[in-house]
Amino acid sequence: MNYSSNNSVNSTILKSKIEKRTLRSRVCGGEGLHNRTGHFVCSAGLLMTDADGINQSFLLTAGHCSEGETPNNDGFIDLYHLPWNSPPSFRYIGPLVNYSIAPVICKRPLSVGAHVCKSGHATFVSCGQITELNAELTYRDSNNNTITKKEMIVTSVRSVKGDSGGPVFSYSSKNTSPDVYVVGILIGGMENHGISDVLPLEVALRNTNLVLDVVGGLFG
């Protein structure tokens, strides 16, 4: 199904300034990101790599994580690693380099009732079911403007403020080693009602040249 270009979705991509061959520390999906003053901003999402083979890593998280943040002298927002149960590390991950706004055209092999989980900085791992596909959702941003997002996934996964940007996944335990499938990233919900809204991965990456780094987890 096609939608016009004014029906948009959002995601944030952080670019590491350290080449892959020098990566030494691990950032897990669902851990935290903090700003230059040490204040928590959002959950870390998925590690990505450039499809052209450029020796560079990227981290995908929720687009609204940039709201209210002060840019550096180059106009970018600097973010740092905030591990679970840890004070601010001030270990630099990279600048926010892209805020994606794209028309939504996607298909995905998911169904209502499918079991999914999320990993977030605030509530760690929690699971639930997909309750709606191709949902049209309305939000208000920090300036009280109304934003409508289409082809979203609604789930019964519990989440709260601070989990935004964390990865959402499903898994199969049929094999000896469970297969994990990335669904997307968590961008919102109703924390008092056990509802979490998910931006599908294929939508978040539209108009980018990034692919999921399936052997990653290392950053910065």
Side-chain angles (χ1 to χ4, degrees):
M1 185 177 294
N2 292 328
Y3 295 101
S4 62
S5 59
N6 60 357
N7 293 325
S8 61
V9 297
N10 67 78
S11 61
T12 290
I13 296 174
L14 307 178
K15 180 179 179 181
S16 173
K17 286 194 171 182
I18 305 175
E19 293 185 350
K20 281 187 179 178
R21 62 176 176 269
T22 66
L23 295 178
R24 291 180 294 274
S25 300
R26 181 174 295 274
V27 175
C28 296
E31 287 191 305
L33 303 171
H34 70 78
N35 61 17
R36 289 185 293 173
T37 64
H39 288 92
F40 173 77
V41 174
C42 247
S43 291
L46 301 164
L47 186 69
M48 315 300 297
T49 189
D50 194 287
D52 289 335
I54 298 175
N55 200 22
Q56 187 74 62
S57 295
F58 299 83
L59 186 66
L60 185 69
T61 186
H64 68 263
C65 295
S66 63
E67 292 184 359
E69 296 299 320
T70 302
N72 60 25
N73 293 334
D74 295 322
F76 298 110
I77 296 168
D78 291 321
L79 293 178
Y80 303 78
H81 183 204
L82 181 62
W84 280 303
N85 301 318
S86 172
S89 70
F90 290 95
R91 185 167 67 82
Y92 188 55
I93 290 181
L96 183 158
V97 296
N98 183 49
Y99 182 89
S100 176
I101 298 178
V104 179
I105 309 170
C106 70
K107 297 178 181 179
R108 51 192 170 275
L110 296 171
S111 60
V112 171
H115 187 263
V116 292
C117 301
K118 74 94 181 67
S119 178
H121 185 263
T123 58
F124 302 95
V125 175
S126 57
C127 301
Q129 294 181 320
I130 292 176
T131 58
E132 187 176 358
L133 294 171
N134 303 317
E136 180 175 325
L137 306 175
T138 301
Y139 302 89
R140 289 193 179 275
D141 63 16
S142 58
N143 296 316
N144 206 35
N145 296 315
T146 299
I147 299 175
T148 300
K149 304 181 188 298
K150 294 180 182 262
E151 282 206 281
M152 296 288 294
I153 301 173
V154 182
T155 74
S156 62
V157 175
R158 177 179 176 268
S159 65
V160 300
K161 183 178 180 180
D163 288 324
S164 290
V168 177
F169 56 94
S170 62
Y171 62 90
S172 170
S173 58
K174 293 181 180 179
N175 301 322
T176 303
S177 299
D179 296 320
V180 177
Y181 306 93
V182 175
V183 176
I185 56 174
L186 190 146
I187 67 165
M190 300 175 66
E191 60 182 74
N192 293 324
H193 296 80
I195 297 174
S196 293
D197 305 330
V198 180
L199 178 66
L201 181 63
E202 63 268 35
V203 178
L205 298 183
R206 195 168 309 284
N207 290 344
T208 77
N209 198 37
L210 301 179
V211 294
L212 185 66
D213 189 336
V214 295
V215 296
L218 302 177
F219 207 90

